[in-house]
Amino acid sequence: MTAAENVCYTLINVPMDSEPPSEISLKNDLEKGDVKSKTEALKKVIIMILNGEKLPGLLMTIIRFVLPLQDHTIKKLLLVFWEIVPKTTPDGRLLHEMILVCDAYRKDLQHPNEFIRGSTLRFLCKLKEAELLEPLMPAIRACLEHRHSYVRRNAVLAIYTIYRNFEHLIPDAPELIHDFLVNEKDASCKRNAFMMLIHADQDRALDYLSTCIDQVQTFGDILQLVIVELIYKVCHANPSERARFIRCIYNLLQSSSPAVKYEAAGTLVTLSSAPTAIKAAAQCYIDLIIKESDNNVKLIVLDRLIELKEHPAHERVLQDLVMDILRVLSTPDLEVRKKTLQLALDLVSSRNVEELVIVLKKEVIKTNNVSEHEDTDKYRQLLVRTLHSCSVRFPDMAANVIPVLMEFLSDNNEAAAADVLEFVREAIQRFDNLRMLIVEKMLEVFHAIKSVKIYRGALWILGEYCSTKEDIQSVMTEVRRSLGEIPIVESEIKKEAGELKPEEEITVGPVQKLVTEMGTYATQSALSSSRPTKKEEDRPPLRGFLLDGDFFVAASLATTLTKIALRYVALVQEKKKQNSFVAEAMLLMATILHLGKSSLPKKPITDDDVDRISLCLKVLSECSPLMNDIFNKECRQSLSHMLSAKLEEEKLSQKKESEKRNVTVQPDDPISFMQLTAKNEMNCKEDQFQLSLLAAMGNTQRKEAADPLASKLNKVTQLTGFSDPVYAEAYVHVNQYDIVLDVLVVNQTSDTLQNCTLELATLGDLKLVEKPSPLTLAPHDFANIKANVKVASTENGIIFGNIVYDVSGAASDRNCVVLSDIHIDIMDYIQPATCTDAEFRQMWAEFEWENKVTVNTNMIDLNDYLQHILKSTNMKCLTPEKALSGYCGFMAANLYARSIFGEDALANVSIEKPIHQGPDAAVTGHIRIRAKSQGMALSLGDKINLSQKKTSI
């Protein structure tokens, strides 16, 4: 094991700007200085030894002049000093001076002050020399009976480490600690003693646990946690013991400590798959989520619930707890609510859907009463989407949901209203029995709709699905009400002319007396300041949209009027009524055209909208059967095709999900008998405690590591040339927010290299955590240096630097070898993700950084090129496969990904195959990347360019 991999107990900050002191001045301070100067000198000595200096001449000085001092700071520093100072001669024998040190620590172990005793015991855990520890054993044993718990608990730790490293020094340690544990009252001492027995003598630990298994609930939480770990390990190694301890785990689910409850629930799930056990663990998790205030804890525990759901046998148990899971919605955090709703939706079944819908309806109504907040709007959207999914999966629920949701069409938040509209559109198409109810409700809320986009969608639904004479008349009435007095242009001009006289009468008075809100005088006339506000107050919604210059809604209105007029003609036999209705519809269109051409709106009507309205007028004037079919049948068929394609895609994704979750066992798979498997073969049952410890240390063992091609060698970067005096190469290990550089440094010269230091600097959002410490390299020797780098955002980072060293005996300055740059791959942080089309469009409009990459490849197939881009950028294609299938010479697709830092990346691929250049022509086009930050957009562009070049070779 290299020095860099040794366990580090103490971190010491070294100020690099100060000049290293000489050995003589340090010796002088340590001999003759006061306590303060001795403390400072000792600190300097520690730093110099850490930097590779030997300083053998100071050892006796410190023993004579510093060791006898009773100052607590000096005693603490001495513990660090004795930990790092070389204690042996070059041939491995213990230095004679250490006998004096050993005697000093024997006295400290009998010191009346408990802090000195305890800290000395902690220091002894770090000693690796058996000769030093042997004379201290009686004193360490005596500390087990000290009155203070701090001394006793450190004595247990010292005995445990000595027993683990040098068993011959204290062979009876397990028996000694077992007796100590039986009589001990302090929780921390009991925890340490029990922990030692688990690792040193598990049978004794089990014997102790058997004697007090009924009192486990009364123990402190730190001891309970260790008991949970022991039970897990015992049952993991010997499944026959489960019945003996499972009751104890059940009891610990009622512990007052959240940490114990969490661990006990996790252990219970691994020990038993009985429905009662799963239910108890899930109930415990739900209670933890509700009671814990920290959102991170809530999210972690929610993830455990989601993991439980992934097991097919456990899913049915969790379905009964859906109502309990929904209690988590009381949390204000949006991320927690999002995960909770998704989990509830995954667990919903015909048995509990009614209750789920009632709770969600209450939540929707609650959001209406809460003061407006960004998260309230987003939460409302989430609820609407969840209700939408429930209604699609369980059509019987739609009738209960629709009346509540349709109130939100008049909501100020356009996104939530758009979700409701999408749901209503799907429901009215799928559920024939609900059409009357939806049309009736739509007519009720129609006049209150505030957003032009929602208004347009509502118009389309009313025009498409009003089938009775009464409904058609109601739509016409609502449109007239929303449009106001017609002809619009004349009524607006009259209004202006009519308002002029009274305004003038007002302004005849003293104009200069007008005072603004700020308290300053204004010379503005009352006419110009009050007229627009008065007009806007009593302006009907549709009229308002048109006067603001939004004529796209007029084109939508013209189509709706045409549809209902054609349907009215088919329903009503009387010619007079037919002509009257059609004429009214044509009048409305004509007056809108007139308004568009006048100067009254803020923006004039576009040519496209003029064409659409004119076409509708022509259709109504001719009333041909072909046009009737196109307007009244084919529009609905298009919607039907779109919804069926969407449903098919959802079913396909659900099928893929269920296939993933199904545990498929092949007929010829070998049967695994637990009793016959060797301990190292029990790979199906990983030790959860070991896995979580490895994950925390960033040493997660990935499955692909077994493949030699996917091993570390693929990530090794050569930093210097083979002919350089110092050869260096680095393995770059990325672990989420940390990058560990494991640098191998080889001395290729015949000289000893002193103070060999790896100096690193970073470019981009990378931060070096600590400076690697200097090394001394013997001729042709090698060493490993580790450096940690923190990553703050998704951006291409570069690490560069050099290796500097001194050659022993040389009078010249320091030598330097410049290293090659290490480029950090952005792909380690980007993961594929999904979002809706509406969210994609919204983000596309919001993100200000765009990077346009020109396609430059020798690939000739459009689909192959798209797949290559997806693979090289880790992005997910949002465009459905059906839309990309077939061949037409061009392709457009939307891609989306999210980084582990929560940054979004969007891309639009627009590519074509130039037919005129023949069948072997390469793909051409552009890829536009958008992101919130410049670094993300540029880094993704660089990645695409690089991957294109690789394919072009």
Side-chain angles (χ1 to χ4, degrees), residues 275-476:
T276 47
I278 301 302
K279 189 170 183 179
Q283 197 71 59
C284 179
Y285 281 145
I286 293 164
D287 289 345
L288 277 175
I289 299 168
I290 292 163
K291 287 174 185 168
E292 275 300 309
S293 56
D294 188 343
N295 284 333
N296 292 325
V297 173
K298 287 178 190 283
L299 288 168
I300 290 165
V301 182
L302 259 174
D303 283 338
R304 294 305 292 264
L305 269 178
I306 292 164
E307 276 174 37
L308 269 185
K309 179 211 69 180
E310 296 301 323
H311 198 290
H314 301 165
E315 193 169 0
R316 182 146 181 104
V317 178
L318 286 174
Q319 281 176 353
D320 298 334
L321 296 171
V322 165
M323 299 315 291
D324 290 325
I325 290 169
L326 287 176
R327 285 161 57 203
V328 179
L329 291 177
S330 56
T331 308
D333 184 66
L334 189 68
E335 196 61 36
V336 174
R337 285 171 159 178
K338 195 174 183 177
K339 275 196 174 182
T340 307
L341 284 172
Q342 188 55 53
L343 177 62
L345 193 57
D346 289 343
L347 293 172
V348 74
S349 65
S350 52
R351 289 179 296 141
N352 54 27
V353 67
E354 206 167 324
E355 294 170 320
L356 174 79
V357 166
I358 290 167
V359 172
L360 294 181
K361 275 163 67 179
K362 281 181 186 168
E363 285 292 318
V364 168
I365 293 161
K366 259 193 238 171
T367 61
N368 221 8
N369 307 330
V370 177
S371 58
E372 282 302 307
H373 183 269
E374 189 189 358
D375 278 359
T376 310
D377 292 344
K378 287 181 180 171
Y379 179 44
R380 194 178 302 154
Q381 265 179 277
L382 282 176
L383 290 167
V384 168
R385 284 179 194 171
T386 311
L387 283 167
H388 180 171
S389 303
C390 283
S391 304
V392 171
R393 277 167 61 185
F394 305 97
D396 300 348
M397 291 294 112
N400 299 337
V401 172
I402 285 164
V404 177
L405 289 189
M406 285 186 72
E407 297 291 335
F408 287 97
L409 285 174
S410 56
D411 200 75
N412 284 326
N413 175 20
E414 191 181 283
D419 279 337
V420 173
L421 194 71
E422 195 180 314
F423 167 45
V424 169
R425 187 184 67 183
E426 190 169 341
I428 204 167
Q429 171 64 21
R430 281 210 183 141
F431 314 130
D432 294 351
N433 56 326
L434 296 177
R435 281 183 187 168
M436 294 292 288
L437 169 75
I438 293 173
V439 168
E440 184 190 326
K441 197 74 185 160
M442 184 70 86
L443 286 166
E444 274 178 36
V445 297
F446 188 71
H447 68 280
I449 294 173
K450 299 179 182 74
S451 161
V452 65
K453 189 178 168 187
I454 308 306
Y455 201 92
R456 219 164 51 223
L459 270 176
W460 187 90
I461 288 171
L462 288 172
E464 194 61 56
Y465 295 99
C466 284
S467 49
T468 65
K469 192 169 70 171
E470 292 76 22
D471 283 346
I472 291 170
Q473 284 287 8
S474 302
V475 172
M476 182 58 93

Side-chain angles (χ1 to χ4, degrees), residues 884-948:
L884 297 172
S885 59
Y887 188 79
C888 61
F890 69 87
M891 181 189 280
N894 289 337
L895 316 181
Y896 177 61
R898 174 172 278 177
S899 74
I900 58 171
F901 307 102
E903 300 168 309
D904 299 296
L906 315 173
N908 173 259
V909 180
S910 300
I911 49 178
E912 63 174 329
K913 190 171 162 72
I915 306 288
H916 60 278
Q917 292 180 15
D920 294 333
V923 172
T924 60
H926 290 94
I927 300 167
R928 291 162 71 200
I929 301 156
R930 284 203 182 179
K932 217 169 200 170
S933 63
Q934 184 187 16
M936 182 87 156
L938 291 174
S939 303
L940 262 179
D942 292 347
K943 186 71 190 170
I944 290 172
N945 272 327
L946 203 65
S947 67
Q948 287 190 145

Side-chain angles (χ1 to χ4, degrees), residues 610-673:
V610 170
D611 289 349
R612 169 51 69 102
I613 297 170
S614 306
L615 172 72
C616 291
L617 281 167
K618 194 167 189 293
V619 168
L620 283 182
S621 62
E622 292 174 1
C623 286
S624 70
L626 173 65
M627 285 298 161
N628 198 344
D629 276 2
I630 290 172
F631 271 85
N632 278 333
K633 288 182 186 167
E634 296 197 9
C635 284
R636 199 175 299 185
Q637 276 177 3
S638 300
L639 174 65
S640 178
H641 287 320
M642 189 191 88
L643 290 176
S644 58
K646 193 175 166 189
L647 192 66
E648 204 175 308
E649 201 180 316
E650 279 174 15
K651 278 182 181 170
L652 202 69
S653 63
Q654 278 175 5
K655 191 179 174 188
K656 280 181 186 170
E657 279 295 312
S658 60
E659 278 173 8
K660 267 187 208 169
R661 284 163 56 194
N662 283 347
V663 184
T664 49
V665 181
Q666 299 300 328
D668 56 348
D669 277 359
I671 299 170
S672 170
F673 294 98

Side-chain angles (χ1 to χ4, degrees), residues 747-765:
N747 177 7
Q748 300 200 105
T749 67
S750 302
D751 302 314
T752 300
L753 306 184
Q754 292 181 335
N755 292 334
C756 183
T757 312
L758 176 67
E759 294 182 347
L760 296 173
T762 57
L763 199 65
D765 252 340

Side-chain angles (χ1 to χ4, degrees), residues 64-97:
R64 284 176 59 206
F65 298 103
V66 183
L67 195 59
L69 295 175
Q70 294 301 311
D71 182 75
H72 283 203
T73 310
I74 283 185
K75 282 201 173 291
K76 274 181 83 172
L77 286 171
L78 279 172
L79 293 177
V80 177
F81 174 76
W82 294 122
E83 184 188 333
I84 61 168
V85 78
K87 302 172 193 68
T88 53
T89 56
D91 58 357
R93 285 159 58 191
L94 196 70
L95 291 169
H96 297 303
E97 292 93 331

Side-chain angles (χ1 to χ4, degrees), residues 563-583:
K563 284 179 188 174
I564 61 172
L566 290 171
R567 214 170 290 140
Y568 190 83
V569 169
L571 288 170
V572 178
Q573 300 305 316
E574 292 174 49
K575 272 283 179 203
K576 192 179 176 185
K577 280 187 177 176
Q578 284 181 5
N579 292 341
S580 162
F581 193 90
V582 171

